[in-house]
Amino acid sequence: MAGLLSSSCTALSAPRVRTLSYSPALLPPTSLPARVVHRRNLSIGARISIRHRPRHLLVSGAAAATTELSSADEGQKLMSSESQRPVFPFSAIVGQDEMKLCLLLNVIDPKIGGVMIMGDRGTGKSTAVRSLVDLLPEIKVVVGDPFNSDPEDPESMSMDVRDRAARGEPLPVAATKITMVDLPLGATEDRVCGTIDIEKALTEGVKAFEPGLLAKANRGILYVDEVNLLDDHLVDVLLDSAASGWNTVEREGISISHPARFILIGSGNPEEGELRPQLLDRFGMHAQVGTVRDAELRVKIVEERAGFDKDPKGFRETYRAEQEKLQQQIASARSSLASVQMDHDLRVKISKVCAELNVDGLRGDIVSNRAAKALAALKGRDKVTAEDIATVIPNCLRHRLRKDPLESIDSGLLVIEKVLRGL
């Protein structure tokens, strides 16, 4: 802001004053007053919040160019530093089997719908989520496409790639790892949804779109730490994208849509506030994490963390074999997932448990079926057993039960009790 004011004062003192149009992406979000307008795209049914700012500002061209170059350089440095930052090995995490299982099942079958991890502070929630980076498999994407379009699935293609495929143009394909994107609590809607460059649209007549975090997270993982502290307007954006699988940005009569299908992973401390029921229902599974009470396990956790902090590369090297074995197990489970079968009787029992627990909607039935198949694939089997269902169904239904303030039993234990009776 100080740079903008100084540039404006210099321009006013000069004998000639030149007014230039600007791109909203070049300005900090707090530099100008914004007005939020909700619009509805009839073809998709998603409501998107858009920020409108004045289109003209008295600013020198050199200052704008310097701001653009410096922000690009900072982004490249940040990406390179993040790619080189060592993460704690997933195989080295002690305990917390429920959380680790939910994360692995979502990697095997992204259609489960993500996982919500709630627990005490300092129990390794964020560490476990970020350690998934080493285990994520590779996917095929179109080279040069910022939305990670699938070259074999038209539903996962951006509009530009779909037009190129319709014209018969060859699409360059490359294999890359599934990306994990962190959504900061202080992120703005422009950074999350993306922005439209109005200057290029008016001067050149082209739709210049600056992709946001939702575009980067397409076909990947979107992680929100302390999700129960997320602002309501960002929660609305996530709900819209999670419901439709598309993100639509509308501004000044220009509309741009792109696919936004991602695995939503959130973590939080229940002492800091409850999560909105609308967003909580969007998570396919729910994992509860508690503080380890066993003294021997606590000592082992402290020693493992101390060893990683002392020599991260050496510590990761000691778990390389276990990491590679787990990565191969995940890849094998993903390839055999389509061949996993479930008997009709087991499907009926799942729906019977959901009905007896008064679960609203059918999302609990669908997620329970998918999670049971993913667990069977992870164990190397082609058929789901009653044990698989009993293992995953508490995590699929726990957060979907209606809360009774007079009920003292934990919702997860209530689900297990019904499952044992039904199965």
Side-chain angles (χ1 to χ4, degrees):
M1 177 60 75
L4 295 177
L5 293 176
S6 61
S7 302
S8 301
C9 294
T10 304
L12 291 173
S13 59
R16 295 181 61 185
V17 178
R18 182 175 58 177
T19 303
L20 298 178
S21 59
Y22 75 101
S23 171
L26 300 180
L27 298 175
T30 57
S31 59
L32 291 174
R35 178 170 58 91
V36 179
V37 177
H38 298 289
R39 295 183 180 177
R40 180 173 296 275
N41 187 296
L42 298 179
S43 62
I44 299 178
R47 183 172 59 90
I48 301 296
S49 300
I50 307 299
R51 289 182 178 271
H52 289 270
R53 294 191 178 93
R55 287 199 302 250
H56 298 281
L57 178 72
L58 194 61
V59 58
S60 64
T66 304
T67 304
E68 185 176 11
L69 292 175
S70 61
S71 61
D73 294 340
E74 290 176 1
Q76 293 177 356
K77 292 179 180 178
L78 182 60
M79 291 177 60
S80 61
S81 63
E82 288 180 352
S83 62
Q84 297 175 358
R85 182 191 309 166
V87 295
F88 195 84
F90 190 86
S91 303
I93 299 177
V94 179
Q96 313 297 6
D97 295 331
E98 179 180 327
M99 172 180 61
K100 293 191 293 185
L101 178 62
C102 292
L103 292 173
L104 290 178
L105 295 183
N106 275 273
V107 174
I108 295 173
D109 187 3
K111 293 183 179 180
I112 291 177
V115 56
M116 177 65 193
I117 306 172
M118 296 294 285
D120 303 330
R121 62 181 69 90
T123 51
K125 300 185 296 294
S126 302
T127 302
V129 175
R130 294 190 171 95
S131 63
L132 278 178
V133 173
D134 293 336
L135 304 177
L136 295 179
E138 290 185 345
I139 56 175
K140 294 182 179 180
V141 298
V142 178
V143 177
D145 183 70
F147 310 109
N148 300 323
S149 295
D150 188 350
E152 300 175 355
D153 184 13
E155 293 296 328
S156 300
M157 292 182 180
S158 63
M159 303 302 294
D160 179 60
V161 174
R162 188 179 299 182
D163 294 340
R164 290 165 55 188
R167 293 193 299 265
E169 297 183 9
L171 299 176
V173 180
T176 181
K177 269 197 169 186
I178 294 178
T179 57
M180 176 180 291
V181 180
D182 282 341
L183 177 61
L185 294 179
T188 62
E189 292 182 28
D190 291 345
R191 182 69 186 103
V192 175
C193 298
T195 59
I196 298 177
D197 195 337
I198 300 298
E199 180 180 2
K200 285 189 177 181
L202 296 178
T203 58
E204 302 178 13
V206 296
K207 295 182 180 180
F209 181 67
E210 293 291 338
L213 295 180
L214 293 182
K216 187 178 180 182
N218 184 42
R219 301 181 66 203
I221 297 176
L222 183 64
Y223 175 52
V224 187
D225 194 9
E226 305 294 346
V227 65
N228 46 345
L229 302 180
L230 196 65
D231 291 338
D232 287 342
H233 65 281
L234 293 181
V235 172
D236 295 336
V237 170
L238 293 181
L239 287 175
D240 290 333
S241 299
S244 63
W246 285 78
N247 175 41
T248 302
V249 179
E250 296 185 4
R251 185 175 179 185
E252 304 296 339
I254 300 175
S255 178
I256 293 181
S257 300
H258 67 81
R261 295 180 174 90
F262 48 82
I263 304 174
L264 184 60
I265 298 180
S267 62
N269 186 352
E271 296 179 355
E272 298 174 350
E274 295 292 335
L275 197 62
R276 286 173 54 179
Q278 297 90 336
L279 181 59
L280 187 61
D281 188 61
R282 292 295 176 185
F283 290 96
M285 305 183 74
H286 185 284
Q288 284 187 347
V289 182
T291 303
V292 177
R293 302 302 177 186
D294 185 80
E296 293 295 333
L297 286 180
R298 293 171 74 102
V299 171
K300 185 177 181 181
I301 294 173
V302 173
E303 291 176 348
E304 295 283 294
R305 186 67 206 188
F308 175 77
D309 293 339
K310 183 179 180 180
D311 183 13
K313 293 184 178 180
F315 184 83
R316 287 170 54 85
E317 190 66 27
T318 59
Y319 284 91
R320 177 181 294 275
E322 296 184 29
Q323 290 283 97
E324 292 179 352
K325 180 180 178 181
L326 184 56
Q327 191 173 14
Q328 294 175 359
Q329 188 178 0
I330 293 175
S332 176
R334 285 173 61 95
S335 60
S336 63
L337 180 62
S339 61
V340 176
Q341 302 295 326
M342 180 186 296
D343 293 338
H344 179 73
D345 294 340
L346 294 180
R347 297 179 186 271
V348 173
K349 290 179 179 180
I350 291 177
S351 297
K352 184 178 179 180
V353 171
C354 295
E356 291 181 355
L357 291 173
N358 296 322
V359 177
D360 294 332
L362 297 175
R363 190 171 284 126
D365 304 57
I366 297 174
V367 172
S368 299
N369 280 267
R370 291 188 179 278
K373 288 184 176 182
L375 180 59
L378 180 63
K379 293 182 178 181
R381 290 185 275 102
D382 59 353
K383 196 170 185 179
V384 176
T385 63
E387 183 182 356
D388 296 331
I389 298 175
T391 302
V392 301
I393 197 170
N395 303 111
C396 300
L397 301 182
R398 174 190 289 135
H399 57 298
R400 306 182 194 277
L401 303 184
R402 297 180 180 179
K403 292 186 177 181
D404 186 357
L406 301 179
E407 186 68 54
S408 58
I409 186 174
D410 180 71
S411 57
L413 297 177
L414 185 62
V415 175
I416 294 176
E417 181 181 348
K418 292 289 185 181
V419 169
L420 294 178
R421 290 180 182 178
L423 298 178

